[in-house]
DNA sequence: AGGTGGACCCGAACGC
DNA sequence: TGCGTTCGGGTCCACC
């Protein structure tokens, strides 16, 4: 479940290894990865591209090439990237692609459940593509309390569903939404449009706090998530509510409860986060 | 139009 | 022990 903090950690670690390097040889091992495009054609198009920058938008990893093209990588649930010297990659039945760089190293893409996607965009296509998919960066200046209020008012969907909508704010997933709502002391099933300006402000703060903590801890390693050097994150040790049903709320001691919101397993404190 | 639920995928956890 | 069943999660899409 790579969410914004996990993708950002991957980006930060991989950027100095990729920037200025050339994709010498690309092999795509899973036909699903580039659907609906032919993986052999995409691999051939990527061969020889020079990396200008590695960026992130929401949960998307964006490889920007000197040609102006960009490769949009979405890890979905179980995608991960691993960097290693050429010839040292171990056999992995879940490897879906390998990029050999021009400095004698490989970047291997692994994805157990095969939900992840690689999309090659031509120059100029990136902005319009992302524009319809994702809202503002939660840690950027465009994500203001005012903007969030505009996105939440008149919405009847549960607060959690509204925050999982990537157009409300980019990068939140199941884990960080629960953590953010606990910080904001708001019930995940509360209708989004009923939040007062003061409560929206608390959500705004909670979202930022949860994500900043996640980045500082290099993400949460529950099962599949690894940093490109094979390391783990430690955010799982900081979870206040996620996955902690029955355990005491760190704020008031009331046992954490589990419910369902937006079709997802949802954890909250029934005392701190009243409906 | 906005909201909801199923499909996609597959290992892990669970139930008998 | 060994099997079958259920679960979960991000996003898209069909349906209300």
């Amino acid at each position: 479940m790579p969410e914004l903090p996990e993708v950002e950690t991957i980006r930060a670690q991989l950027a100095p290894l990729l920037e200025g390097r050339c994709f010498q040889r690309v092999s795509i091992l899973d036909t699903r990865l580039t659907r609906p495009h032919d993986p052999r054609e995409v691999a051939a198009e990527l061969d020889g591209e020079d990396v200008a920058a590695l960026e992130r938008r929401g949960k998307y990893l964006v490889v920007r090439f000197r040609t102006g093209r960009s490769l949009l990588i979405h890890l979905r649930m179980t995608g991960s990237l691993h960097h290693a010297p050429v010839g040292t990659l171990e056999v992995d039945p879940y490897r879906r692609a390998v990029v050999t760089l021009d400095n004698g190293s490989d970047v291997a893409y692994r994805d157990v459940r095969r939900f992840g996607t690689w999309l090659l965009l031509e120059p100029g296509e990136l902005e319009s593509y992302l524009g319809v998919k994702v809202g503002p960066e939660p840690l950027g200046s465009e994500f203001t309390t005012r903007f969030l209020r505009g996105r939440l008012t008149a919405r009847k969907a549960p607060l959690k569903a509204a925050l999982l909508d990537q157009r409300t704010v980019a990068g939140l997933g199941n884990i960080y939404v629960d953590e953010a709502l606990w910080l904001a002391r708001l019930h995940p099933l509360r209708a989004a449009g009923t939040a007062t300006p003061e409560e929206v402000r608390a959500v705004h703060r909670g979202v930022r706090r949860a994500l900043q903590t996640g980045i500082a801890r290099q993400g949460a390693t529950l099962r599949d998530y690894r940093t490109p050097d094979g390391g783990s994150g430690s955010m799982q040790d900081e979870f206040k509510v996620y996955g902690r049903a029955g355990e005491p709320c760190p704020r008031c001691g009331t046992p954490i409860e589990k419910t369902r919101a937006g079709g997802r397993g949802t954890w909250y404190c029934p005392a701190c986060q009243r409906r």
Side-chain angles (χ1 to χ4, degrees):
Chain A
M1 309 130 231
E3 303 178 30
L4 187 150
E6 288 75 22
V7 179
E8 176 56 25
T9 302
I10 292 167
R11 188 209 62 76
Q13 204 172 100
L14 227 39
L17 299 165
L18 286 186
E19 286 170 7
R21 298 264 68 87
C22 172
F23 276 25
Q24 202 170 70
R25 168 122 184 80
V26 177
S27 75
I28 294 172
L29 312 165
D30 178 9
T31 52
R32 281 192 57 89
L33 190 58
T34 56
R35 274 198 324 186
H37 307 290
D38 185 329
R40 286 162 304 182
E41 286 175 21
V42 175
E45 292 291 334
L46 287 169
D47 282 342
E49 287 284 348
D50 293 305
V51 180
L54 184 63
E55 300 173 354
R56 180 193 56 70
R57 265 298 266 129
K59 303 175 195 172
Y60 289 93
L61 209 48
V62 184
V63 187
R64 282 188 177 270
F65 298 113
R66 287 223 314 254
T67 54
R69 289 167 141 187
S70 40
L71 175 65
L72 217 48
I73 297 178
H74 200 300
L75 305 170
R76 294 293 175 97
M77 297 177 53
T78 53
S80 67
L81 290 160
H82 182 59
H83 181 259
V86 155
T88 67
L89 285 177
E90 290 170 25
V91 174
D92 178 2
Y94 304 113
R95 182 163 301 138
R96 310 300 183 194
V98 181
V99 176
T100 301
L101 302 173
D102 61 347
N103 64 346
S105 65
D106 281 330
V107 176
Y109 175 71
R110 170 188 165 93
D111 188 357
V112 173
R113 293 192 191 168
R114 302 166 66 209
F115 276 11
T117 51
W118 283 22
L119 178 63
L120 178 59
L121 294 174
E122 295 302 319
E125 291 181 343
L126 181 67
E127 282 64 30
S128 52
Y129 183 88
L130 288 175
V132 297
K133 302 271 186 195
V134 297
E137 281 296 314
L139 303 178
S141 55
E142 282 178 51
F143 181 59
T144 58
T145 302
R146 176 189 293 268
F147 175 87
L148 183 60
R149 198 186 315 141
R151 289 291 312 187
L152 297 182
T153 49
R155 282 198 72 161
K156 290 180 177 166
L159 211 35
K160 174 155 180 177
L163 291 172
L164 284 173
D165 181 344
Q166 299 298 294
R167 288 163 306 182
T168 301
V169 58
L172 288 172
N174 204 36
I175 292 174
Y176 291 93
V177 166
D178 281 5
E179 296 296 306
L181 288 174
W182 181 84
L183 287 169
R185 304 182 193 232
L186 287 172
H187 197 289
L189 287 173
R190 176 88 174 272
T194 67
T196 66
E198 200 45 51
E199 288 170 333
V200 173
R201 177 174 297 282
V203 172
H204 181 263
R205 264 204 301 264
V207 165
R208 291 208 190 205
R209 275 261 301 281
L211 293 174
Q212 279 164 346
T213 308
I215 291 171
R217 299 288 181 277
Q218 305 216 93
T221 297
L222 293 177
R223 179 159 301 132
D224 300 279
Y225 166 71
R226 286 278 183 279
T227 55
D229 64 6
S232 305
S234 63
M235 182 62 187
Q236 65 280 3
D237 303 331
E238 301 282 330
F239 289 166
K240 308 298 186 190
V241 287
Y242 183 85
R244 305 186 66 114
E247 295 179 43
C249 167
R251 203 160 39 206
C252 74
T254 305
I256 300 301
E257 286 183 9
K258 182 181 183 184
T259 181
R260 255 187 126 63
R264 301 272 116 71
T266 298
W267 290 267
Y268 68 102
C269 170
C272 296
Q273 300 167 264
R274 291 184 195 280
R275 192 119 173 216

